[in-house]
Amino acid sequence: MGTLIEGYDFIIYGTAAALIFPEIFFPAMGESAGTVAALATFGAAFVARPLGSVFFGHLGDRLGRKNTLVATLLLMGIGTFLMGVLPTAMQIGIAAPVMLVILRVVQGFSVGGEWAGATLFVSEHAPKDKRGFWGMAPQLGATLPNILGSTTFLLTSAVMSQSDFVSYGWRIPFLASGLLVIVGLYLRLKVEETPVFKKEHHRGASRVPFLEAFKKQASAILRGAGAILMVFSLVYFASTYLISYASHTLKLSSSTVLVIGIFGGVAYSLAVPISAVLSDRIGRKKVIGGANIIGAVWSLAIFAVLDVGTVPAFAATSCVTFFIAGLAYGPIGAFLPEQFHTRYRYTATGFSYNLAGVIGGGLGPVIAAILTQSIGGFAFGVYVALLSLVAAGCTFTLRETRNTELDWTEETVLNKHKVVSGH
């Protein structure tokens, strides 16, 4: 539920950045440049995400998962609500986009600590033989906002004129997030701390989790980030740039784009549990790595399908893109936490995840806008295909973690390797 709220806040910004922000925050730049600028503000949050992962990871590894998750939810809720009351460029000039970027950074900072905390909270409670299934709950919370965000904007725009929507209607989805935050806080204050953290905390918390994580598992952190590149690239391409492309290049109506966005979110949400359950049966690496390879192939075909220019072609592009991303995303909630020691798991998992977000999600929509306008859509497809192949390579170099205990230590792994190698 908490990840759903955080994801909703994040996604509605992306939708607004594609549909409305170029007009109300960057009106002097023109349509194309305004779209690039709006999507760049979307990417600003991704720069803050690794910083948030370090800050909240430090708190989560030293003080516990529960209290840290309450803090991330409050911070995100405040930032999103303030966006809903932000004056436009017509009202206060250049101060409007500046304040927009600041609030976007606040969003990114909080999300940087949110995903890892929620994922660890579930995975550290789950039985090891079904950790893939239970670990997909926060992932599902991150996919459903694609449905919820598009639905909110669709309903808002349907009950008012376009001029009213541009004037004040776009604010409603942002202000409505306040109600979701209240529900999320109630739930988070009711839950107990994870048993895995309690056990490790009795041994003594790490003084500086970030430094300890990079001292002992730097390679795993970087390869873990690499394994998720395709997911971020395809998801944020579909949820931001693809919406803008359909609206401004294909000239599809906003309602059509939003309805198809809902179907894309459904495809995304269906793929997550399928791949999560499959990862419990055949292993995380096979599922994630295989999905990354499929993503590389599909990336080369995206604009060929999209440029057919019809509504069915756009719908197929959106749904297939989201579905492939979901196939890799489902097991990540179990796979990444299983790679790291409990002493610094929050920090390492969060930093790995959010580093991938900067490269795949933060830069992706901006690079898509630049490449497609200057070279053509196929160039961006090649870019995403290369990221997907890197993701596949990183995935297959990480250790298989299905049925791994989460209270392992470095000594446990060392002894296991000695037994396997015959020493």
Side-chain angles (χ1 to χ4, degrees):
M1 186 66 185
T3 309
L4 170 65
I5 295 165
E6 294 260 5
Y8 168 80
D9 289 354
F10 217 67
I11 286 295
I12 60 172
Y13 184 96
T15 305
L19 292 178
I20 198 73
F21 282 179
E23 181 177 351
I24 62 175
F25 286 109
F26 306 96
M29 300 182 69
E31 185 176 288
S32 297
T35 298
V36 172
L39 293 176
T41 64
F42 179 82
F46 285 92
V47 177
R49 285 175 70 153
L51 300 177
S53 70
V54 174
F55 177 79
F56 288 112
H58 184 87
L59 298 180
D61 283 325
R62 288 189 58 82
L63 304 178
R65 315 326 192 188
K66 175 181 175 177
N67 293 333
T68 306
L69 284 172
V70 170
T72 60
L73 185 60
L74 271 175
L75 188 61
M76 171 61 93
I78 292 170
T80 304
F81 185 84
L82 290 177
M83 279 185 183
V85 297
L86 190 64
T88 66
M90 293 293 291
Q91 295 170 316
I92 61 172
I94 195 173
V98 171
M99 292 170 66
L100 182 68
V101 171
I102 292 173
L103 291 176
R104 186 61 180 159
V105 169
V106 169
Q107 277 191 326
F109 192 75
S110 65
V111 168
E114 164 64 27
W115 182 86
T119 301
L120 263 61
F121 205 90
V122 175
S123 62
E124 289 182 348
H125 272 106
K128 64 180 181 180
D129 59 332
K130 294 183 178 180
R131 192 178 296 125
F133 172 75
W134 292 113
M136 65 90 183
Q139 321 300 78
L140 201 58
T143 64
L144 292 174
N146 290 276
I147 303 172
L148 187 59
S150 293
T151 301
T152 306
F153 271 100
L154 182 64
L155 292 176
T156 303
S157 61
V159 299
M160 61 182 63
S161 66
Q162 179 65 20
S163 60
D164 287 340
F165 181 69
V166 173
S167 176
Y168 67 88
W170 65 271
R171 299 179 184 276
I172 296 174
F174 290 87
L175 299 176
S177 69
L179 299 175
L180 293 177
V181 169
I182 293 173
V183 176
L185 285 175
Y186 173 79
L187 293 174
R188 289 196 167 177
L189 290 171
K190 291 289 185 180
V191 294
E192 296 292 333
E193 186 58 83
T194 72
V196 175
F197 174 79
K198 288 180 180 179
K199 182 178 179 181
E200 182 63 33
H201 199 60
H202 286 313
R203 298 172 183 158
S206 173
R207 294 186 62 185
V208 187
F210 181 75
L211 295 181
E212 185 174 349
F214 266 90
K215 180 180 179 181
K216 295 184 176 179
Q217 288 192 271
S219 176
I221 291 172
L222 297 178
R223 285 179 289 146
I228 325 171
L229 286 176
M230 182 274 288
V231 175
F232 276 107
S233 298
L234 289 188
V235 165
Y236 286 104
F237 166 76
S239 61
T240 57
Y241 179 76
L242 200 54
I243 293 175
S244 175
Y245 188 84
S247 300
H248 300 136
T249 303
L250 301 181
K251 303 301 180 182
L252 300 181
S253 67
S254 295
S255 59
T256 299
V257 173
L258 289 170
V259 168
I260 291 174
I262 293 172
F263 283 108
V266 171
Y268 192 20
S269 299
L270 287 176
V272 165
I274 292 172
S275 59
V277 171
L278 194 60
S279 76
D280 281 331
R281 298 183 179 179
I282 67 173
R284 323 281 191 227
K285 290 171 63 172
K286 292 179 181 178
V287 176
I288 299 170
N292 282 328
I293 293 173
I294 295 172
V297 176
W298 170 246
S299 298
L300 298 176
I302 283 179
F303 277 91
V305 177
L306 191 61
D307 285 340
V308 172
T310 64
V311 172
F314 171 63
T317 303
S318 178
C319 291
V320 173
T321 300
F322 272 120
F323 189 82
I324 293 173
L327 289 179
Y329 194 45
I332 289 294
F335 188 59
L336 266 189
E338 288 168 344
Q339 300 293 328
F340 305 113
H341 191 291
T342 308
R343 284 174 58 81
Y344 46 77
R345 181 174 292 133
Y346 199 133
T347 300
T349 301
F351 189 82
S352 185
Y353 182 82
N354 288 294
L355 180 60
V358 172
I359 301 171
L363 297 178
V366 179
I367 291 176
I370 294 172
L371 286 180
T372 53
Q373 290 175 18
S374 59
I375 302 176
F378 185 73
F380 179 71
V382 172
Y383 167 76
V384 177
L386 291 175
L387 287 184
S388 300
L389 292 176
V390 170
C394 290
T395 301
F396 289 121
T397 62
L398 290 166
R399 63 191 184 95
E400 177 55 62
T401 54
R402 182 168 59 113
N403 293 327
T404 298
E405 297 286 356
L406 282 184
D407 58 352
W408 61 273
T409 63
E410 289 86 350
E411 291 76 17
T412 304
V413 176
L414 180 60
N415 291 334
K416 182 178 179 180
H417 286 318
K418 286 182 178 179
V419 171
V420 171
S421 60
H423 294 296

